[in-house]
Amino acid sequence: MHRSAPLLLSLLRIMAAASFFTHGTMKLFSWPAPFEYPMNALLYVAGFLEVVGGLLLIIGLLSLPVAFVLSGLMAFAYFMVRAGGGFFPVLNHGEAAMLYCFVFLYIAAAGPGSPSLDAMTANSRQVHQADAA
């Protein structure tokens, strides 16, 4: 299993980002279903970050800063919306925000995994540096 860790990290990144992306498309485009709450400026910003950040993480581009920003977005969302409903995420319905927060924080620390544009550009830079040397 240890050998497949970079691939599994990429799978975690892609699946979490794809799911996260749909939260933004619901807010901004009413797809795959209409967003059930009235929109305000904070929700438009969140929707934008969810769509753009989700897409960037799906392809693995700028993964470290994007995942860090999205982790912060979810921490902010948890404390703004859910934490007032009690301490336990299972009771305040904040499990998704908490999990996204820590999954994205892990990706920000661990990197995107091997199949990603970030990994491909890093490999390309290493080859060019080796050719120049």
Side-chain angles (χ1 to χ4, degrees):
M1 285 296 283
H2 183 67
R3 285 187 215 165
S4 54
L7 183 59
L8 291 173
L9 174 57
S10 289
L11 187 59
L12 173 66
R13 172 184 49 83
I14 291 165
M15 296 308 295
S19 177
F20 196 68
F21 171 79
T22 62
H23 286 273
T25 59
M26 282 180 66
K27 289 178 184 81
L28 300 180
F29 309 117
S30 294
W31 181 88
F35 190 63
E36 59 187 83
Y37 302 104
M39 292 295 288
N40 60 38
L42 284 176
L43 289 173
Y44 280 111
V45 170
F48 175 80
L49 289 173
E50 290 163 352
V51 168
V52 173
L55 284 173
L56 288 171
L57 281 184
I58 288 169
I59 63 174
L61 182 62
L62 303 172
S63 301
L64 303 183
V66 168
F68 186 75
V69 168
L70 296 183
S71 176
L73 173 67
M74 287 294 91
F76 179 78
Y78 181 83
F79 287 108
M80 285 288 296
V81 178
R82 301 299 180 183
F87 178 75
F88 297 100
V90 70
L91 300 177
N92 68 25
H93 305 286
E95 293 165 301
M98 179 193 64
L99 286 171
Y100 278 126
C101 177
F102 283 99
V103 165
F104 293 146
L105 187 60
Y106 176 69
I107 292 167
S114 52
S116 67
L117 288 178
D118 287 338
M120 290 186 334
T121 57
N123 289 340
S124 174
R125 269 187 254 127
Q126 289 174 352
V127 168
H128 290 319
Q129 288 173 352
D131 289 343

